[in-house]
């Protein structure tokens, strides 16, 4: 009898449990449906997740939160102990346990890029932690939450602020790492983005895009040379060229060129998660950006965030685009990266995007009804006047001064000539300049010096070079105490970078004049050095 009662009791408990689980399942399904319908979070269901994520989200159920909390406590303890390396794996586990908890992932990535990185003394170790923070968001969290603008904003912020700013003493190292890495991917400074946008991104799609004979030839060359698609990709990324064993079996120049383009596109997409189609769209919208610089990366991820969020609107992503566009104008063209010492990056303004930046500020102000966008636009216009003037675009500088007068009528400091306005701004900029601003002034003066030189006005050319050297020396003196973080490259390096840029971009006859002058200047310097060495040898 007792066994029968026990059996009945077990069956009742089992029935109640089944009923409760069924009710929970129905309620959970209804809640998930409401969440999705009303966009109560911006992530939707986790799709294309690896097996471990699929397992934890289904099998562990609500216990995932408890396990994630335990890992959080462990992470905090490890940080207090200064034991950071285990934290990388724990952060990945927390992301897998709670793939929709984007705030936690954003914090973990920020903690790695900011708090943990600065505890390291060497730039290499700092950069390693910043990369881990980027990868946690870019390679994991965004894959599970492709519609959450918070993740795109946080990823863009690491590029814009941590890497693009000067607050970290190792900021030049970070900028060089990005520039050098992407130069390897691009095979130079700027790819043909239209061609890249139309190139397949996976080997299967690339093979499918080929004609049947070419597809068979490619397959045979791979087999005969002992390579697979994956080993060929690996070899190319390590050596930036195709292996000779493969080339000898696939001697078709045009198909080889297309294959190399595909391998570069695949490298960009699979490692850096940058889609050439979106890059082309951004370039067409804002003007050609230099994609080796962190500001361009920030614009990409903020734009991606706006594209993916259901409402296609997010204030923080829009702010990031406007701020990064301004930075891209101020110093958005890379002249030189330091591939060995990683101590110097030389950039000049990207004058092609000036109108786009102003219009972007205006649109953001209209869309968001925020005065902060207007204030930022007015400050940008003042900076733009000086930079345009520095680089000899006086007509455009005057146009912007006229527009500024209409935006702020009655301001006495605007009712002066263009020359006086720029001189006043120069005085303030040299005193309070950021490295980028100082570099822009110096580069602009040297650029104008080269222009005067090729058109035969030697007095003006020498005057502008003397002024560039004066601004350089004045800035370096003002920043003597913080030169490791805010110092500029050597004056000779800046001058060399600007003159080489002029040689590449001037019309051939003008470039020939400039090159002749540079050769003459170099010969004089060598002659003077020889005389000095001879005089030194004669001394007793």
């Amino acid at each position: 009898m007792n066994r029968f009662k026990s059996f009945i009791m077990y069956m009742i408990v089992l029935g109640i449990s089944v009923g409760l689980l069924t009710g929970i399942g129905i309620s959970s399904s209804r809640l998930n449906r409401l969440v999705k319908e009303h966009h109560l979070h911006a992530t939707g269901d986790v799709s294309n997740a690896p097996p471990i994520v699929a397992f934890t989200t289904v099998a562990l159920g609500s216990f995932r939160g408890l396990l994630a909390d335990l890992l959080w406590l462990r992470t905090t303890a490890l940080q207090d102990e200064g034991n950071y390396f285990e934290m990388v794996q724990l952060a990945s586990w927390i992301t897998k346990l709670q793939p929709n908890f984007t705030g936690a992932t954003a914090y973990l990535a920020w903690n790695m890029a900011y708090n943990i990185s600065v505890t390291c003394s060497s730039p290499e170790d700092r950069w390693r932690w910043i990369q881990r923070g980027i990868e946690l968001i870019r390679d994991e969290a965004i894959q599970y939450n492709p519609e959450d603008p918070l993740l795109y904003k946080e990823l863009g912020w690491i590029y814009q602020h941590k890497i693009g700013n000067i607050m970290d003493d190792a900021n030049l190292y970070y900028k060089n790492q990005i520039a050098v890495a992407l130069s390897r991917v691009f095979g130079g400074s700027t790819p043909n983005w239209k061609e890249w946008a139309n190139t397949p991104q996976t080997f299967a799609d690339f093979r499918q895009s080929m004609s049947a004979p070419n597809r068979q030839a490619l397959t045979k060359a791979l087999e005969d040379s002992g390579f697979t698609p994956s080993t060929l990709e690996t070899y190319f990324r390590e050596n930036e060229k195709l292996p000779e064993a493969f080339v000898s079996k696939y001697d078709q120049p045009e198909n080889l060129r297309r294959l190399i383009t595909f391998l570069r596109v695949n490298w960009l997409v699979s490692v850096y998660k940058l889609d050439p189609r979106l890059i082309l769209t951004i370039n067409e919208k804002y003007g050609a950006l230099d994609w080796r610089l962190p500001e361009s990366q920030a614009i990409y991820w903020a734009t991606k965030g706006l594209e993916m969020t259901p409402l296609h609107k997010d204030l923080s992503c829009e702010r990031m685009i406007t701020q990064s566009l301004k930075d891209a104008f101020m110093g958005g063209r890379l002249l030189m990266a330091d591939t060995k010492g990683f101590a110097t990056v030389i950039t000049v303004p990207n004058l092609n995007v000036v109108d786009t930046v102003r219009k972007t500020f205006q649109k953001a102000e209209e869309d968001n009804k925020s005065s902060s966008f207007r204030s930022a636009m007015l400050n940008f216009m003042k900076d733009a006047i000086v930079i345009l003037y520095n680089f000899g675009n006086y007509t455009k500088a005057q146009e912007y001064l006229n527009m500024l007068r209409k935006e702020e009528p009655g301001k006495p400091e605007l009712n002066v000539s263009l020359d006086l306005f720029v001189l006043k701004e120069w005085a303030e900029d040299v005193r309070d300049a950021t490295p980028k601003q100082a570099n822009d002034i110096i580069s602009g003066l040297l650029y104008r010096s080269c222009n005067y030189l090729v058109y035969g006005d030697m007095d003006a050319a020498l005057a502008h070079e003397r002024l560039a050297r004066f601004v350089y020396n004045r800035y370096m003196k003002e920043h003597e105490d913080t030169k490791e973080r805010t110092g500029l490259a050597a004056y000779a390096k800046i001058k060399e970078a600007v003159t080489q840029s002029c040689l590449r971009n001037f019309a051939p006859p003008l470039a020939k004049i400039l090159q002749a002058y540079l050769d003459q200047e170099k010969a004089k310097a060598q002659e003077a050095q020889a005389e000095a060495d001879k005089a030194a040898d004669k001394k007793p």
Side-chain angles (χ1 to χ4, degrees):
M1 188 68 180
N2 288 335
R3 288 184 178 178
F4 180 73
K5 284 184 178 179
S6 297
F7 176 75
I8 294 297
M9 185 64 69
Y10 285 139
M11 293 304 294
I12 291 171
V13 171
L14 180 61
I16 293 171
S17 299
V18 170
L20 289 173
L21 288 172
T22 303
I24 291 171
I26 294 171
S27 299
S28 179
S29 298
R30 184 169 181 273
L31 286 172
N32 287 337
R33 188 172 65 255
L34 290 171
V35 164
K36 191 171 183 179
E37 288 175 0
H38 297 282
H39 299 293
L40 298 181
H41 63 69
T43 58
D45 298 328
V46 179
S47 58
N48 301 321
I52 185 63
V53 179
F55 172 78
T56 57
T57 53
V58 176
L60 297 183
S62 299
F63 290 103
R64 290 182 292 129
L66 294 175
L67 185 53
D69 287 344
L70 291 174
L71 293 178
W72 266 99
L73 293 174
R74 175 63 176 161
T75 299
T76 304
L78 287 171
Q79 184 163 346
D80 291 341
E81 296 168 6
N83 186 1
Y84 301 125
F85 294 100
E86 188 180 340
M87 291 177 62
V88 177
Q89 185 61 63
L90 292 182
S92 181
W93 285 351
I94 291 170
T95 302
K96 289 177 172 63
L97 284 166
Q98 296 283 49
N100 294 144
F101 190 8
T102 54
T105 304
Y107 170 76
L108 288 166
W110 175 85
N111 196 38
M112 291 179 189
Y114 281 82
N115 290 343
I116 299 177
S117 68
V118 296
T119 64
C120 303
S121 56
S122 72
E124 295 86 352
D125 290 336
R126 289 189 179 193
W127 176 237
R128 200 169 292 118
W129 280 107
I130 293 171
Q131 284 183 297
R132 296 295 83 78
I134 289 172
E135 289 165 1
L136 183 64
I137 297 179
R138 184 191 68 194
D139 299 352
E140 293 192 55
I142 283 179
Q143 309 309 312
Y144 314 142
N145 306 276
E147 297 177 359
D148 192 339
L150 171 66
L151 293 173
Y152 297 95
K153 176 258 179 186
E154 289 297 332
L155 181 55
W157 180 251
I158 294 175
Y159 280 108
Q160 179 197 0
H161 185 262
K162 181 64 178 180
I163 301 173
N165 213 318
I166 62 167
M167 301 306 293
D168 192 316
D169 291 344
N171 73 88
L172 291 176
Y173 182 87
Y174 311 150
K175 293 178 176 70
N176 269 297
Q177 286 292 331
I178 291 179
V180 171
L182 287 172
S183 293
R184 292 184 67 238
V185 177
F186 298 160
S189 59
T190 304
N192 182 338
W193 288 114
K194 287 187 177 180
E195 181 183 13
W196 280 38
N198 292 316
T199 297
Q201 297 180 359
T202 67
F203 206 95
D205 290 340
F206 176 72
R207 196 196 302 259
Q208 193 61 35
S209 70
M210 304 175 75
S211 65
N214 287 335
R215 190 159 54 243
Q216 292 169 1
L218 175 61
T219 301
K220 189 174 187 306
L222 286 170
E223 291 174 352
D224 292 348
S225 60
F227 282 90
T228 64
S230 60
T231 57
L232 188 69
E233 289 169 4
T234 301
Y235 183 95
F236 183 81
R237 292 175 192 178
E238 291 175 352
N239 300 278
E240 297 182 65
K241 63 179 183 179
L242 292 170
E244 291 297 331
F246 171 80
V247 172
S248 64
K249 304 291 183 181
Y250 193 62
D251 189 15
Q252 301 180 24
E254 179 57 25
N255 286 332
L256 280 172
R257 189 194 68 79
R258 289 185 63 239
L259 177 60
I260 289 173
T261 299
F262 158 72
L263 290 171
R264 293 193 183 281
V265 169
N266 176 263
W267 189 358
L268 184 68
V269 173
S270 60
V271 176
Y272 297 94
K273 306 299 186 291
L274 298 174
D275 190 336
R277 294 169 296 188
L278 181 56
I279 289 177
L280 179 63
T281 300
I282 292 171
N283 280 345
E284 290 174 345
K285 182 176 182 179
Y286 300 124
L289 302 177
D290 192 326
W291 289 93
R292 299 168 296 171
L293 296 175
E295 293 81 12
S296 301
Q297 308 293 312
I299 292 169
Y300 178 94
W301 291 111
T303 303
K304 186 74 172 177
L306 292 176
E307 179 186 88
M308 296 302 295
T309 190
L311 299 178
H312 305 300
K313 186 175 180 62
D314 182 77
L315 182 60
S316 36
C317 285
E318 290 175 22
R319 287 187 190 278
M320 178 160 296
I321 290 173
T322 56
Q323 292 166 359
S324 299
L325 270 175
K326 178 185 176 181
D327 291 340
F329 167 74
M330 300 287 287
R333 197 157 58 86
L334 182 67
L335 289 187
M336 190 192 81
D338 188 348
T339 58
K340 295 180 180 178
F342 298 104
T344 302
V345 169
I346 298 177
T347 62
V348 292
N350 185 350
L351 304 181
N352 296 323
V353 301
V354 60
D355 289 333
T356 303
V357 180
R358 179 179 57 81
K359 291 174 183 176
T360 303
F361 275 120
Q362 285 180 329
K363 187 175 186 305
E365 179 192 357
E366 293 167 2
D367 291 347
N368 296 283
K369 310 300 181 186
S370 174
S371 60
S372 62
F373 284 108
R374 173 174 170 76
S375 299
M377 181 188 73
L378 296 176
N379 289 330
F380 161 74
M381 291 177 70
K382 291 177 183 177
D383 292 335
I385 293 168
V386 176
I387 291 173
L388 290 166
Y389 183 95
N390 286 347
F391 281 82
N393 199 333
Y394 307 118
T395 302
K396 196 72 174 177
Q398 185 65 58
E399 177 187 331
Y400 265 65
L401 181 57
N402 294 339
M403 285 192 288
L404 193 58
R405 288 168 180 163
K406 291 179 181 178
E407 293 286 346
E408 296 186 291
K411 281 210 166 187
E413 61 266 29
L414 300 179
N415 294 321
V416 296
S417 68
L418 177 63
D419 292 337
L420 288 177
F421 178 85
V422 171
L423 286 172
K424 179 178 176 295
E425 291 293 318
W426 267 357
E428 294 179 2
D429 286 347
V430 173
R431 185 184 67 242
D432 305 319
T434 65
K436 189 171 288 186
Q437 288 172 325
N439 190 79
D440 290 346
I441 294 173
I442 295 163
S443 299
L445 290 167
L446 289 171
Y447 175 82
R448 291 167 67 191
S449 175
C450 290
N451 274 274
Y452 282 124
L453 191 149
V454 296
Y455 284 108
D457 193 338
M458 291 299 297
D459 291 338
L462 293 173
H464 279 76
E465 184 173 352
R466 283 195 297 268
L467 186 55
R469 189 180 290 276
F470 168 79
V471 172
Y472 178 88
N473 292 335
R474 179 73 176 270
Y475 175 86
M476 294 299 286
K477 184 177 180 181
E478 293 283 347
H479 294 78
E480 178 68 28
D481 296 336
T482 58
K483 61 183 179 181
E484 288 188 6
R485 179 167 56 87
T486 61
L488 302 176
Y491 178 81
K493 281 191 174 183
I494 298 176
K495 182 179 177 181
E496 173 70 13
V498 173
T499 53
Q500 289 302 315
S501 176
C502 290
L503 287 171
R504 290 192 298 271
N505 294 293
F506 280 180
L510 299 181
K512 188 176 180 180
I513 295 171
L514 179 59
Q515 185 63 64
Y517 174 81
L518 294 174
D519 291 342
Q520 185 181 9
E521 192 177 56
K522 183 178 179 181
K524 287 181 179 179
Q526 290 174 342
E527 185 178 336
Q529 184 62 47
E531 290 293 332
D533 292 341
K534 188 184 294 183
D537 291 339
K538 289 181 179 179
K539 288 184 179 180

